[in-house]
Amino acid sequence: MFSVISYKNREDILISKKLKEHNFNLEKIKNIKSNFSVKLRTKSFDCDEDTLLNDIRKNVKKMQEIVDCLNNLPVPKLIYKKENFLEDFLFENEKYSCVLNDKELYKSFKNNKFLKNELIYDEEYSPKYDYNIGIYLEGLNKKIVEVEDINIVIEQTEALTVIDVNSKKKTNETNKSKNALSVNLIAIEEIIRQISFRDISGIIIVDFINMKTKEKEILEEKIKEIQIFDNKIWNFHGFTKLGLYEITRQRGK
């Protein structure tokens, strides 16, 4: 949670830029890290020394087990499986709330002072019977996403992803740019969600409904304000000369 262990650059102890003024006991870390490198994450700022050192010990042990497995037959084989995916996910995404139907898991999460999420215990809850979740998961497999009177078409290729925004409403020519802005403002929030939930990465081109320069600037300001809950690196590059909006999102983990 607070440290990352690597098999490369084995002599290193790397510290996030935001932690430069934090007085970590590097000697204690060196005594634990063995032949691995250790990176201290920004989130370790709030934890005490014992918690941090225990986290490093746990991760070093896991890494050693992985390295040991690499030298043993047979292959191929599973060498690592994340045990606490939900806990890790919540730790990385503090703004998500979570409904739990497992009382012991709920207590465990409640007692974890590093989880800032809103936790709700509901013994009767089942995602299988949650209509909204079912509809949304089903929608992730569709090429066309419908939001209000808007169609969002998502085309994924090996090189890039193209997203096209269309309105099913007829617009008045007099207020065409303003109407386009209102549609695009609704569309961009759903586009961000779809990119995140579908885990679309690399180059993403969005073809919004055409607007004038003033409306484009308003949309760009809106995009800056949208909260993104995943831990990937996003870059919003703005409109190209052809009027297409360019986004890039980090690949991999």
Side-chain angles (χ1 to χ4, degrees):
M1 295 173 78
F2 305 107
S3 62
V4 177
I5 310 300
S6 173
Y7 195 49
K8 297 179 180 179
N9 304 318
R10 301 183 190 182
E11 302 302 318
D12 292 340
I13 298 176
L14 306 173
I15 300 176
S16 170
K17 291 179 181 178
K18 294 181 181 179
L19 299 175
K20 291 297 183 184
E21 297 179 3
H22 205 296
N23 295 319
F24 291 109
N25 191 324
L26 299 183
E27 284 303 315
K28 288 186 178 180
I29 295 174
K30 284 180 181 177
N31 292 335
I32 297 172
K33 77 182 191 68
S34 186
N35 293 323
F36 307 116
S37 69
V38 175
K39 179 179 179 180
L40 304 183
R41 304 182 60 205
T42 304
K43 286 182 177 287
S44 62
F45 184 85
D46 293 326
C47 74
D48 56 81
E49 185 178 90
D50 287 342
T51 302
L52 176 61
L53 294 176
N54 285 334
D55 185 72
I56 295 171
R57 286 190 190 97
K58 181 183 72 174
N59 289 334
V60 165
K61 183 181 177 183
K62 285 181 183 176
M63 179 57 77
Q64 188 61 59
E65 289 171 355
I66 290 171
V67 172
D68 291 342
C69 280
L70 292 175
N71 299 320
N72 295 324
L73 295 174
V75 291
K77 62 182 174 182
L78 176 67
I79 61 173
Y80 176 71
K81 181 179 179 180
K82 187 179 282 290
E83 296 174 359
N84 300 308
F85 171 79
L86 180 57
E87 186 174 12
D88 290 345
F89 177 82
L90 292 175
F91 182 73
E92 298 293 345
N93 300 276
E94 294 179 355
K95 294 178 181 178
Y96 279 129
S97 58
C98 180
V99 181
L100 298 160
N101 57 10
D102 184 312
K103 197 167 188 177
E104 293 304 314
L105 192 60
Y106 173 76
K107 286 180 180 178
S108 171
F109 285 4
K110 267 292 188 185
N111 292 332
N112 187 336
K113 63 181 180 180
F114 299 108
L115 289 182
K116 311 296 184 185
N117 314 72
E118 178 191 7
L119 300 173
I120 302 163
Y121 175 66
D122 182 353
E123 187 178 5
E124 303 298 324
Y125 179 79
S126 171
K128 182 179 179 181
Y129 301 109
D130 190 315
Y131 177 78
N132 292 324
I133 290 179
I135 290 295
Y136 207 90
L137 290 176
E138 186 180 311
L140 293 179
N141 296 318
K142 293 182 178 179
K143 176 181 170 182
I144 299 175
V145 179
E146 295 185 2
V147 183
E148 298 184 19
D149 291 311
I150 305 165
N151 280 345
I152 299 170
V153 183
I154 302 172
E155 288 273 11
Q156 289 183 259
T157 69
E158 288 187 16
L160 51 78
T161 299
V162 178
I163 300 176
D164 188 30
V165 179
N166 299 297
S167 176
K168 292 187 280 186
K169 274 187 176 180
K170 291 184 178 180
T171 58
N172 188 329
E173 287 295 325
T174 308
N175 298 315
K176 191 172 182 180
S177 189
K178 288 184 179 179
N179 290 335
L181 174 63
S182 64
V183 169
N184 291 334
L185 287 172
I186 296 169
I188 186 57
E189 294 200 24
E190 184 61 29
I191 287 169
I192 296 296
R193 276 195 290 271
Q194 291 292 327
I195 291 171
S196 184
F197 289 146
R198 294 175 188 231
D199 198 22
I200 298 171
S201 56
I203 300 170
I204 302 160
I205 301 296
V206 183
D207 186 6
F208 287 110
I209 298 174
N210 289 337
M211 300 175 291
K212 294 179 180 177
T213 302
K214 182 180 177 181
E215 280 72 29
K216 285 182 179 179
E217 290 173 354
I218 294 172
L219 179 61
E220 289 189 294
E221 286 301 313
K222 170 67 175 177
I223 291 171
K224 291 177 184 177
E225 296 172 2
I226 294 176
Q227 293 181 323
I228 296 173
F229 296 118
D230 67 37
N231 60 350
K232 297 289 182 70
I233 297 172
W234 295 61
N235 288 298
F236 298 93
H237 302 281
F239 286 95
T240 68
K241 290 181 179 179
L242 295 175
L244 303 172
Y245 194 86
E246 185 178 351
I247 302 170
T248 53
R249 183 171 178 268
Q250 179 188 14
R251 296 182 187 275
K253 62 181 181 178

